[in-house]
């Protein structure tokens, strides 16, 4: 996983431009396509939560949409902490409630209500299955998953298969909304209302 040099960034906008450019240069075009999916979903939703933050690239994409609430969960917040002040400043200036939790996404204290949940944490089928079991009831609208077409630079549908099984087993509560297969891919599922 790439860790970008972003200590020179003075605003969250500059941070986001820098990190997205670095990630797409390192991982090729469309690596950050899930950011665009999150931004589109936040046009109609006011709360966002992310499991697996790393430096905060996708979190910055979400924050810049100005939702009312953003919650970030990661067991290792070290890479994010260098930018935390940029997030706090922007959120304070734009009346966004920012909650940052340093814990496992499988910790019961990581569960909270949100409209949009991005899962980009531990990329194994077993871990994703447990995250879905734990978090799905607290998500009212959409779940977004990164890396659903490729893992460790090889084509791999293992995470997508977990998501598809979850939807099939949900008694019609969840359905595949979008599957994007370019680069590492992403998948969005929607709660059926």
């Amino acid at each position: 996983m790439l860790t970008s040099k972003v200590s020179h960034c003075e605003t969250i906008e500059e941070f986001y431009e820098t990190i997205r450019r670095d990630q797409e240069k390192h991982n090729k075009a469309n690596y950050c396509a899930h950011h665009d999916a999150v931004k589109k979903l936040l046009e109609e939703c006011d709360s966002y939560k992310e499991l697996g933050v790393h430096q905060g690239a996708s979190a910055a994409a979400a924050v810049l949409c100005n939702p009312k609430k953003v919650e970030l969960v990661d067991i290792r917040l070290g890479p994010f902490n260098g930018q935390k002040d940029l997030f706090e400043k922007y959120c304070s200036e734009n009346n966004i409630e920012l909650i940052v939790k340093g814990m496992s996404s499988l910790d019961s204290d990581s569960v909270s209500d949100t409209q949009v949940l991005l899962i980009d944490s531990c990329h194994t089928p077993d871990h994703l299955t447990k995250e879905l079991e734990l978090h799905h009831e607290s998500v009212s609208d959409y779940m977004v998953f990164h890396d659903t077409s490729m893992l460790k630079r090889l084509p791999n549908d293992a995470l997508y298969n977990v998501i598809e099984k979850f939807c099939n087993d949900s008694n019609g509560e969840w359905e595949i909304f979008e599957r994007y297969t370019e680069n590492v891919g992403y998948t969005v599922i929607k709660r059926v209302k």
Side-chain angles (χ1 to χ4, degrees):
M1 179 180 306
L2 174 72
T3 300
S4 294
K5 294 181 181 177
V6 292
S7 59
H8 67 281
C9 297
E10 295 182 10
T11 65
I12 199 163
E13 293 90 348
E14 183 182 10
F15 164 74
Y16 181 64
E17 283 180 30
T18 301
I19 199 164
R20 182 166 181 159
R21 181 184 62 242
D22 288 357
Q23 286 186 352
E24 295 222 332
K25 182 178 179 184
H26 180 76
N27 297 295
K28 304 200 177 6
N30 301 314
Y31 177 80
C32 297
H34 66 295
H35 296 187
D36 300 323
V38 164
K39 290 190 271 188
K40 186 167 179 58
L41 297 174
L42 287 174
E43 290 175 6
E44 63 180 77
C45 296
D46 288 329
S47 60
Y48 172 81
K49 183 173 181 176
E50 184 169 309
L51 306 177
V53 179
H54 192 57
Q55 282 187 280
S58 48
V63 163
L64 288 168
C65 294
N66 295 326
K68 292 180 181 174
K69 180 180 176 184
V70 171
E71 185 171 347
L72 308 175
V73 177
D74 200 307
I75 198 164
R76 289 180 299 277
L77 287 171
F80 173 74
N81 284 337
Q83 293 70 244
K84 189 176 180 186
D85 59 330
L86 297 179
F87 279 79
E88 289 172 342
K89 183 177 188 292
Y90 184 90
C91 289
S92 176
E93 292 171 350
N94 291 280
N95 298 315
I96 301 168
E97 179 184 5
L98 176 65
I99 300 166
V100 179
K101 295 181 177 179
M103 64 179 57
S104 169
S105 59
L106 299 181
D107 187 316
S108 61
D109 287 339
S110 71
V111 178
S112 61
D113 292 341
T114 190
Q115 288 177 281
V116 178
L117 173 66
L118 169 68
I119 298 180
D120 192 13
S121 55
C122 182
H123 291 68
T124 66
D126 182 57
H127 192 87
L128 179 56
T129 299
K130 290 175 183 174
E131 286 174 320
L132 284 165
E133 289 171 3
L134 184 63
H135 291 276
H136 79 275
E137 290 181 7
S138 63
V139 181
S140 64
D141 294 275
Y142 299 97
M143 287 191 272
V144 182
F145 308 84
H146 193 215
D147 302 306
T148 58
S149 295
M150 188 178 293
L151 288 172
K152 298 180 181 176
R153 300 193 181 272
L154 296 172
N156 189 324
D157 286 341
L159 297 181
Y160 178 78
N161 293 337
V162 169
I163 297 161
E164 186 176 48
K165 181 179 185 325
F166 170 79
C167 289
N168 290 339
D169 293 347
S170 74
N171 296 317
E173 287 184 47
W174 291 92
E175 65 184 10
I176 303 290
F177 179 72
E178 179 181 11
R179 181 169 189 207
Y180 182 86
T181 58
E182 297 296 315
N183 201 308
V184 296
Y186 69 81
T187 300
V188 180
I189 65 175
K190 178 180 182 176
R191 184 180 287 278
V192 178
K193 297 183 179 183

